[in-house]
Amino acid sequence: MRAMLSTPAGLAGKVRDHLLRHRAGLRSRVYETAAFNAPSGPHEVVTVTAGDGVRLRAHVYGPANAHTIVLVHGWTCSLEYWYPQINAFAGEYRVVAYDVRGHGESERGASKLTTDLLADDLQAVLEATLRPEERAVLVGHSLGGMTMQAWAGRYPEQVPARAAAVLLTNTASANLINETTVVPPFGPEFTRRLPFLIGLLGLSAPLPLPAIGPIPWVLRRQIMSLAATGDIALFSHNIVRSCPASVRGRFGTLLSYLNVGEGARNLTVPTTVVAGEFDFMTPPVHSERIVEMLREAGSFDSYRILPTGHLGNVEAYEEFNVELARIVQAAFEIPAALRA
């Protein structure tokens, strides 16, 4: 009887362990394109304890005493999403990347999911990985960019203390569902505005994303762009699939109601915004709104529109890396003669 009662729990544990190994395997795939593979050099694994006790996985790459770049990924991704940037910059800079709670190997926790909570997590990561009084270049993609805006609104005094410059890519501050164009138009009268309830259901649904049927094509067509092929498409799909469906749904609900207000106005250091010409998740209108806030705050640096969908730093990683290199060199005042 005891064995029969323990069987469901044991089976559930085996299934859970299998899924964990599968997701880890998706993040560690090997590609012909070297930029998408795990960095070859050593790295430090840092366990960051968030304010509510949740443990966050952080990796630190590159020379210990070099200037630091901090990378914050978006919804359904993980720190491996930043491999094209880590591989490009970890030889010269100290690069910090972490798994947002619930993603990758970070714990999810039981706290109510809010942008303030994510801002607290970012602050905990900065405190755990930066040297005393060190200022880093902060880079946020999608939800990562929203987290940085929330952080600036919640910790305005920390912006000049911890940030030398900021790069926000493929992100927004509010109204994601109202202004998304991820659903294609059905005719000339279609307004392209998605009813909130339908958008909420779509973002919060904990549906699996198997690599079968039309799923990879839909990801390219509606999240990236059809120009994203080969390893770019494979790498992106594997990273997104590595996120548990329940986490994707929970964070999708957060994004549905997202509003970080005017936190961007508190980004008082040079801040660059990058958008995707074919980004249906966060169309350029969102970036333009952030740029306007930065202009009014006097911290606007540059605005670029890349010919990509929502995953700009992967789809056009070489062009994105050129822009990031410019920002890093200016932030750390590296003389032109010493620049690559």
Side-chain angles (χ1 to χ4, degrees), residues 264-320:
R265 294 184 186 276
N266 289 336
L267 292 172
T268 52
V269 297
T271 301
T272 292
V273 179
V274 174
E277 182 180 359
F278 309 107
D279 184 351
F280 299 150
M281 287 289 292
T282 52
V285 62
H286 291 291
S287 294
E288 292 161 8
R289 191 170 296 129
I290 294 171
V291 166
E292 184 61 27
M293 285 189 276
L294 295 172
R295 289 186 188 277
E296 293 175 359
S299 56
F300 172 70
D301 178 26
S302 178
Y303 177 42
R304 293 284 307 279
I305 300 180
L306 299 180
T308 71
H310 187 61
L311 308 184
N313 62 292
V314 171
E315 296 176 64
Y317 65 91
E318 291 177 320
E319 191 171 353
F320 182 90

Side-chain angles (χ1 to χ4, degrees), residues 23-329:
R23 292 176 185 131
L26 288 172
R27 299 193 304 269
S28 61
R29 295 283 178 90
V30 176
Y31 304 88
E32 291 185 8
T33 305
F36 300 133
N37 293 328
S40 58
H43 66 272
E44 178 186 4
V45 179
V46 179
T47 299
V48 179
T49 302
D52 61 350
V54 162
R55 292 177 297 178
L56 308 174
R57 177 184 67 148
H59 282 187
V60 181
Y61 303 85
N65 296 320
H67 292 298
T68 302
I69 304 169
V70 177
L71 307 171
V72 187
H73 70 76
W75 180 44
T76 76
C77 294
S78 62
L79 66 82
E80 288 86 354
Y81 172 76
W82 292 109
Y83 277 170
Q85 284 67 54
I86 296 170
N87 281 314
F89 290 91
E92 183 176 357
Y93 300 99
R94 184 170 177 265
V95 183
V96 175
Y98 73 97
D99 289 331
V100 172
R101 63 171 56 221
H103 296 70
E105 296 179 24
S106 287
E107 296 176 344
R108 179 166 54 179
S111 298
K112 180 181 179 180
L113 187 59
T114 66
T115 52
D116 281 347
L117 181 66
L118 299 183
D120 292 343
D121 289 350
L122 173 56
Q123 180 61 22
V125 169
L126 297 178
E127 291 175 357
T129 60
L130 296 186
R131 298 180 290 271
E133 301 183 4
E134 182 185 11
R135 300 166 70 229
V137 171
L138 308 183
V139 185
H141 169 258
S142 189
L143 179 62
M146 300 163 196
T147 297
M148 286 184 183
Q149 294 172 71
W151 171 75
R154 190 165 173 81
Y155 297 93
E157 75 287 348
Q158 289 294 311
V159 175
R162 285 306 196 183
V166 172
L167 170 56
L168 304 175
T169 183
N170 301 97
T171 193
S173 59
N175 299 323
L176 286 182
I177 290 178
N178 289 339
E179 293 179 322
T180 182
T181 54
V182 74
V183 177
F186 297 105
E189 303 302 320
F190 187 67
T191 65
R192 295 176 69 89
R193 288 186 176 273
L194 189 64
F196 179 82
L197 181 58
I198 295 176
L200 173 62
L201 292 174
L203 287 176
S204 62
L207 300 175
L209 297 175
I212 58 175
I215 299 298
W217 183 88
V218 170
L219 179 67
R220 289 175 53 227
R221 173 61 182 83
Q222 299 305 117
I223 305 302
M224 295 186 284
S225 76
L226 290 178
T229 58
D231 282 350
I232 290 175
L234 288 172
F235 173 79
S236 301
H237 191 208
N238 286 332
I239 292 294
V240 171
R241 287 175 59 212
S242 73
C243 179
S246 60
V247 171
R248 187 172 65 251
R250 186 181 180 196
F251 275 79
T253 301
L254 171 69
L255 289 169
S256 299
Y257 295 98
L258 178 97
N259 187 341
V260 294
E262 298 189 343
R265 294 184 186 276
N266 289 336
L267 292 172
T268 52
V269 297
T271 301
T272 292
V273 179
V274 174
E277 182 180 359
F278 309 107
D279 184 351
F280 299 150
M281 287 289 292
T282 52
V285 62
H286 291 291
S287 294
E288 292 161 8
R289 191 170 296 129
I290 294 171
V291 166
E292 184 61 27
M293 285 189 276
L294 295 172
R295 289 186 188 277
E296 293 175 359
S299 56
F300 172 70
D301 178 26
S302 178
Y303 177 42
R304 293 284 307 279
I305 300 180
L306 299 180
T308 71
H310 187 61
L311 308 184
N313 62 292
V314 171
E315 296 176 64
Y317 65 91
E318 291 177 320
E319 191 171 353
F320 182 90
N321 288 349
V322 168
E323 182 66 11
L324 179 54
R326 179 193 67 80
I327 294 166
V328 170
Q329 291 162 359

